[in-house]
């Protein structure tokens, strides 16, 4: 029997409980200090209309700096604005009418690639620190205070 480390096990359990997925945070630096390579991120599938500014989302995009013809990559950035057509509140819009403007916390300006229902994967709900298995609920507390630890 292979036993995951406590932080990976916590991330796996959170993902299983919510029908989501979990993975190690890539070391790009674009979301520092909120997300670093010393953490696991737990993604939950949600309706794009429920996303709000300050949420951290996952989407697929081909970035302007990517080589021509490269496949879209998975990006994790923070929502800075929710836009759409018709002036209706986001929860009443058709999903295909919602556009999320996103930006990496460490980046100087918003991304040029919009997030729509076509490339949206979900919202990061929890971040699990690899050092002490502390779990941060980033939906309830975008400020990022650790909520609990699974290591005694």
């Amino acid at each position: 029997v292979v036993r995951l480390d406590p932080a990976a096990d916590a991330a796996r359990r959170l993902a299983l409980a919510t029908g989501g997925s979990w993975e190690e945070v890539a070391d790009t630096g674009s979301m520092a200090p909120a997300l670093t390579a010393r953490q696991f991120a737990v993604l939950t599938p949600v309706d794009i209309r429920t996303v709000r500014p300050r949420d951290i989302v996952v989407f697929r995009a081909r970035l302007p700096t990517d080589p021509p013809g490269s496949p879209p990559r998975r990006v994790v950035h923070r929502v800075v604005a929710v836009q759409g057509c018709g002036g209706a509140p986001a929860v009443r819009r058709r999903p295909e009418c919602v556009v999320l403007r996103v930006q990496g916390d460490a980046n100087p300006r918003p991304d040029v690639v919009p997030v729509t229902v076509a490339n949206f994967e979900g919202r990061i709900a929890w971040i699990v620190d690899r050092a002490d298995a502390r779990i941060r609920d980033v939906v309830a507390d975008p400020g990022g205070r650790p909520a609990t630890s699974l290591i005694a």
Side-chain angles (χ1 to χ4, degrees), residues 10-100:
R12 181 186 62 79
R13 288 173 189 243
L14 285 167
L16 279 172
T18 61
S21 62
W22 66 279
E23 62 187 68
E24 294 179 55
V25 174
D27 192 16
T28 66
S30 71
M31 283 298 293
L35 289 171
T36 70
R38 297 183 315 267
Q39 298 166 322
F40 293 108
V42 180
L43 168 77
T44 56
V46 297
D47 186 315
I48 194 169
R49 295 173 293 183
T50 67
V51 174
R52 302 287 176 258
R54 297 188 69 200
D55 285 350
I56 300 172
V57 296
V58 179
F59 60 99
R60 292 208 175 262
R62 209 174 280 110
L63 304 179
T65 55
D66 290 342
S70 62
R73 70 166 96 172
R74 212 167 192 200
V75 181
V76 179
H77 279 171
R78 191 175 304 277
V79 176
V80 295
V82 178
Q83 302 170 329
C85 54
V91 294
R92 288 204 220 129
R93 293 182 192 140
R94 295 183 320 276
E96 57 276 1
C97 197
V98 176
V99 178
L100 307 177

